[in-house]
Amino acid sequence: MIKVLRAPTNTSAIDFIYSTALVESVKDRTALIIPTTRALKEVASRKLQNVDLFTIKEFLEFTSISTKRKIDKRLRSFYLKKVASSLSVDDSRNIFHNNQDIFLNNYSSFDNISINLLAFFRELSAECISVDELYKAGKYTDYEKQAQSLMNLWYSYNDLLNDSNLVEPWNLYSNEDLGHLVKRYDKFIFFIGGYLSKHELIKIKNLSKNSDILIIFNFVGNKNSHYTSYEKFLDIEIPDADNMILNRDNCEILRANSLLSQIELITFRAAYYNKVNNIPYERMSILLVDDSLKSYFLRYDKYNLFNITANENIDKTAVFQLLKSVLNIKLLIDRNSKQVITLDTLKEFYYEIFLTSLDGLEDVRKVIDKKIAENNIFIPVAELSTLPFFNQYFQLINKLNDELPIPQLIDYIKVFLRAIKTHISKSEVEIFSNLVQLLDQLRSVYSLIDDKLSLEDSIYIILNDISTLKVNTSRGAITVSGILESRALDYDVIFVPELNDDIFPPTSRKDLFLNTEMRLDLKLPTYLDRESLIKNYLLQIMSRSKKSILSFTKSDDTRNSSSFINELSFKYNLKAQSYYNKEYNLFDVKKYDKFSDKNNLNINDGTIFKTEKMIEKIRSNKLSASAFNDYINCSLKYFYKRIMKVYETVEMATVVSPMMIGNILHKILEVLHTRNISVTDKTYLDSVRDIHEEIISGYDVFTTSRPSRFIQDEIINIFKDILDVELDRKKEGYETLEVEKSYEYKAEGIILHGKIDRIDFNHDSREIDIIDYKFKSADKLSTVMKPTLDKYDDLQLPFYYFLYSKNKNVEPTSLYQVSLSESYQYIKVFDTSLSSEAEVWIRSKLIELQSIHVPFTRTENKKICTYCEYALICEGRV
Amino acid sequence: MFKSFPVDCLNNAEIKLDGLIYLNNDELDKLLKITPKTYNNFMKPFMELQFVINEFYVPVSHMNLVNDSELSRQVYPMVLMKITKYFTELMQREDIYLALKEISKTELNIIEKKVIDDNILKFELSGVHLEADQKNRIKDMSLKLAELSDQYSKNLLDATNEFELKLKDDTYIKSMPESDKSLALQPDKSYIFTLQAPSYISFMTYCDNRDLRKEIYKAYMTRAVNNSKLIEEILSLRKEMAEILGYKNYADMNNVSMSAKSVDDVILFLEELAVKGKPFALKELADTQEFGKKLGIDNVESFDLAFINNLIKKEKLGFVEEDFLPYFESRNVTDGLLKFLSKLFDIQFVKVENVEVWDDEVVVYDLLIDNNPHARLFLDLYNRKSKRGGAWMNDWHTYRLDGDGNEYFSSAFIVANFPPPKDGKPSLLKHSDVTTLFHEAGHVIHHILSKVNEGYLSGVNGVEWDAIEFPSQFIENFAYEKKVLELFAKDFNTGKAIPDEMIDKLIKNKNFGSAMQLLRQTEFALFDMLVHQSDYSYAEVKGILNKVREKVAVILPPDYTSFENSFSHIFAGGYAAGYYSYKWAEMLSADAYLQFSEAGVFDKELARRFFDNILSRGAEETMDNLFFNFAGRKPDPEALLKTTGLL
């Protein structure tokens, strides 16, 4: 028999669950099933006799009986890839389109799609959707073909598991046999906050045949079609909504100019409610609409108020960074037949290592600087191995074979970790030991697989698994958690920052294989349902709090408040108050040790006065076109970057940036030229592909994060355009004379230098063209076509003109920038009739640069500051 | 590098201040739980907590003073109330006092020891360390004293407002400047003069009718007879309070926060001034009397002095303030002042552009020492509607190192109300404006040149009350120094430097009547010091005043006067047993200035010593010691007579 209750809106859900369970379990042995671990802990802390607690996930697992071993989630992708590799050509094409090679040859590429595939399969399984239903829903679309192939993959996957004596637990959820454990209980209480999947409904129905069931529904507002379908399926009646009371006086909306402002506001307000309203910090919560915001609350927790639940990923720890870097370098070396690695990688390696006690890091830094100054892209491994740092820590990992079973890699990692153990800072001792424990656990999971994997795949898998480890950062008393994590919980005060339309409501990856139309057809929750569900969670927790402070960022026209805020403002006539900060009261730390030769500096707000020592430095440095551009754009930026050499401490790139694509394209073009591969060669595109593979191996982002195959496609596609255009140019008589050739010329006491992407010569017309590649759309290229030059912010090509003409005593005919993005187009960017003016202008700037009377000053063009990596230092905030 | 001025500080000020205060209290609770407490684990973070509040508060109060607005009127009183409450409560916390006592027993260097000792003293002066009943008595007495002071002021104000003298026309005030007259002019063309200072002083200076002067003088000098009773009560409570706190009397108690070593030293100093100044004052009086005779006044009385002296000044000095205006164009003066300070102390002021400030007229400079940035100075010199009148310096940030070794740079504001440049006409300053600017600049350099690592002793923080005006009065002296005026006092039309004879006029004008002035202040200061030695009855107070006058004054006021009833500085203000500070600091500044003047002003070695021993040292030691370190001897009271032209 199924009984149904609905949790009252305005009282504590936990109280309601507790009191209900208390009453219901007086006589009966009861199982209480709750959505989240946090809510479960909350109920458990109140101690209920006669009641056992389960999360929904645990309950599903324990009532799904099989004689076979349930597959470890970490092995799913592995098995899926195995079967995907043996799909028929048609199936493979239907699923992966034309990119099956990319996905199937590389584990990391496959992982990205496998997450989507598995989510899709899980949903199909959970909603008990048959192939026929799927066809029907996808009829008259491309999906029709894909559906069959997807199902073939799913079946093959299950067959493989079966052969390995494993089983996918999802397939067991709707089994009628619930196992003997259910017999322990007379009654089951389910607390349901969201939507129920079909197999959950089936499970409840099966269970109700022999046991008493009580379902407590917890949602705000009227029943939608999903709830009415549950009523029908389970033959129940869900009570109508009580009146949700959201007291508008308890709700405050604030428009802030930054996230930092909101953190400051939250800090102040929390202290206020604590002292004035006597609300303990433990009864306050900061609900985050996006997990990535957690790191800000960690970083700006000046008063140790915040308790970041679910903690922070291991990514940021020194031990993880070191391990990752060492493994990646190992990979890069192995993969590259020339035994070189890119400086980009090495640079990242340096920046990411925070183990300051490691000897020899400074040497690595010096090598990088030197190499970059020499315009090198790669560094030979042989050269690297002369550095003691690498010798000490690298040789352990270097022993690994190209192909090996994963447990063997784990063993090596453990040996490596033992070697660096003494260098681990105190703050990482705990995570270090957790890491070792996890490795032991992983070893036992992967010992099921006998296959030898490529080192690359093994490293990818292990790093991925390790990255799930959380660092314990729990400190203060105010809970900081995601909205989903707080389901069913209640607090006296809640803060919800960053309620902006670009992150709330969140989007979901589920829609990749099932679009909204199909979802409607299959009666599955659509993105709109999911949006309304999460808004519903938020409303519930708000209605149960004494005070809700919602805030969003509105500093310019680019970001807007979330639709949730707009609906709330409209419905309750709430106006957003403003909380703007130009200067923060909490987060200013003045540190000046960034400047190593501070004693020789006249530092000033936005102005740095030159010293003789600086001028010496200016004269001894070669000046590149980009340094020259830096100077004319913001001389203060030039100072930070070129004089002080304050490097931007970049975080590991987790996405492929346009700049990175630009660099890759550049490098491919360079290698094509050095290998004498011409556009007329039939194998041109194949060569591009090979070189491309070679080059991207130098970028961690392609190996460590989930890369997008589309980006790789895009790069190849650009070369198709290049081929067309360059063949035409060839027909017109242009020959490439030089590629990436360095030029130097001393003017006004400073050596100017530049590496010109390409110089073409036309034998018929005797024209010389200077060509510079840019990964920008054609309309965004910087053209210098009219006097006067001081209004331009990019003088790269005039600079090259000057450099080339002085060197060769020949004046180039045309200067082009070639847009590598969107379409491959030649755009004339410099009117050579301005060359004399340009020379005078450049020389005057060179003189100015060396003048002690002209200080370095911050640009007045605030747009430049917006994207400047030195903005924080420049404003004294670092 | 420097924190920008938060022009939006009034927005959400309540949220921010509440937050800061509550968070501070939480942090303080955490600090108090630390065992064992040390200077570094308790005092350093404790000081930082208070700086956070102060650095938030200063811009808010500053905006209230310089940019009066609907918002500031709404926000400032609330902020002031909360800040006052916060600091008052802080100073009453026994747990903090005990923490300081605990730290005082640990190993401390000299500067740390002074930070701790100074603060223990502050706590003890508020009675935190006493038994409960005594503590309560101190609290009650403090409240009662505040009430009595308030009543004293109110009585004086009522009496001041009660009196009016009406003239049907300007017959007797013909020589009064039009600006003063216009303030007294009534719609019916009559003139009304009151006992408010500007009105009273103008009347006493320009009214040529002796009877009328006498009438208003009498009214002025007999104000608030109902204060006599309050004086007894105030003195009695002050005595009791001093005794409970372990001092012989109130003067002794107050002396512990002063740089003068003892009350006796102060009395000796004042008596020495009286003795040395008296012959000069008698000479001045004789001149006045002689001139008085020419006017038909045979027996010059107190109410004649201002009137006669003004006429002498006019005749003998020929000093016309307006003649000097062209030489003091405000930008020239500001540049000159900074040039002077830079040259004297080998520092640099670099103008900073593009920083956000509260008004377009505000000019910002960074101070560089040895080419390194050290402090920021904001100058807001011109009058505008939204600005409070007068001139002042206010310190914002304090130079210090926090517990993590982070260096904090100092900053300060100078605010004045000079006439703004208008319609292409430059802003021309009176010389008195120039001295005001120099005076405030003296305060500023005392604050921003500090190199003291401990914030509580850095800059003007922790400097004794009787020494705080030392650097300001010191710098003020240079506004009369030829070598300094040469740097900037040039006719803005012709560029011609100010002639030497005009500088002489300035000096003579300054020194005119200086001996009488010196004695007058000495008289007040001595009376203040003596009256705070016990719980005297009103009759005894009167007796003390008369005795002091016998010793100091060259002209005795009529018997009917009751000056003590209107001496609000000591009975209702903060100068009780401290009125001598004016003269004490003036002595220090005169002595130091004379050394410079005699060495030709720009003496590098001397300036270095002054910088190293005084300006950069804040309150690291008592000013008494710092001065000794600078001069190699004690200050000489005679210097005061020298700088006022008496010796």
Side-chain angles (χ1 to χ4, degrees), chain A residues 268-269 272 275-276 281 303 578-579 581-585 591-592 598 601-605 609, chain B residues 1 3-4 8 12 15-16 18-19 22 26-27 30 350 355-356 366 371-373 376 406-407:
Chain A
F268 286 150
R269 276 291 162 97
Y272 180 86
K275 294 293 178 311
V276 178
Y281 288 123
Y303 294 92
S578 125
Y579 186 87
N581 264 331
K582 281 185 178 155
E583 288 290 324
Y584 299 102
N585 292 96
K591 280 184 184 163
Y592 301 92
K598 180 194 152 194
L601 288 181
N602 300 342
I603 306 165
N604 206 323
D605 195 67
F609 294 92
Chain B
M1 299 301 140
K3 198 167 176 173
S4 303
D8 57 354
N12 309 110
I15 297 179
K16 292 175 182 176
D18 281 344
Y22 298 135
D26 276 353
E27 290 298 295
K30 283 182 208 159
V350 182
V355 284
E356 202 164 12
D366 279 352
N371 283 337
N372 285 316
R376 175 160 286 185
N406 294 318
E407 187 182 29

Side-chain angles (χ1 to χ4, degrees), chain B residues 446-509:
Chain B
H446 194 193
H447 187 69
I448 66 177
L449 290 181
S450 172
K451 289 184 171 179
V452 179
N453 293 342
E454 303 310 312
Y456 270 20
L457 300 181
S458 183
V460 294
N461 294 330
V463 174
E464 300 93 346
W465 187 240
D466 58 358
I468 199 83
E469 296 292 327
F470 165 24
S472 56
Q473 295 186 0
F474 166 75
I475 293 294
E476 195 182 321
N477 281 307
F478 290 97
Y480 296 90
E481 185 63 59
K482 186 170 178 289
K483 282 190 176 166
V484 177
L485 289 169
E486 271 173 0
L487 296 172
F488 64 90
K490 288 170 185 152
D491 187 312
F492 81 98
N493 285 316
T494 62
K496 236 175 93 187
I498 187 167
D500 289 356
E501 58 272 24
M502 286 189 84
I503 299 178
D504 286 345
K505 264 189 194 176
L506 282 175
I507 296 169
K508 279 183 183 153
N509 184 55

Side-chain angles (χ1 to χ4, degrees), chain A residues 721-783:
Chain A
D721 289 340
I722 293 178
L723 189 61
D724 291 344
V725 175
E726 291 299 338
L727 276 172
D728 286 347
R729 260 181 85 80
K730 197 109 190 161
K731 279 179 202 156
E732 286 168 25
Y734 285 99
E735 279 297 331
T736 298
L737 286 185
E738 293 164 349
V739 167
E740 296 278 343
K741 174 90 185 275
S742 290
Y743 283 93
E744 283 188 4
Y745 180 72
K746 192 167 184 175
E748 309 303 336
I750 295 180
I751 299 172
L752 311 185
H753 94 117
K755 207 173 194 185
I756 300 177
D757 284 349
R758 197 173 116 199
I759 291 165
D760 277 8
F761 179 63
N762 191 317
H763 288 283
D764 305 330
S765 61
R766 314 298 295 168
E767 284 177 1
I768 293 172
D769 290 350
I770 289 184
I771 295 151
D772 181 58
Y773 301 118
K774 281 275 179 281
F775 193 72
K776 283 182 186 171
S777 57
D779 58 330
K780 287 194 178 136
L781 296 177
S782 324
T783 56

Side-chain angles (χ1 to χ4, degrees), chain A residues 7 29 39 41 163 223 240 250 258 303 328 389 391 396 456 492 496 499 514 561 563 595 647 786 826 837 866:
Chain A
R29 179 102 194 132
K41 278 183 192 162
D163 293 347
K223 290 178 270 187
D240 285 328
N250 293 346
S258 66
Y303 294 92
N328 281 331
F389 175 83
N391 260 343
L396 294 165
E456 184 177 348
D492 290 342
V496 194
L499 274 169
L514 286 173
S561 53
S563 58
F595 302 93
Y647 290 99
K786 285 178 193 165
Y826 276 73
E837 192 199 328
T866 315

Side-chain angles (χ1 to χ4, degrees), chain A residues 137-154:
Chain A
K139 214 165 186 182
Y140 312 120
T141 68
D142 286 349
Y143 195 75
E144 208 172 334
K145 270 195 290 178
Q146 200 185 18
Q148 180 60 55
S149 300
L150 283 166
M151 293 315 285
N152 288 345
L153 178 65
W154 176 232

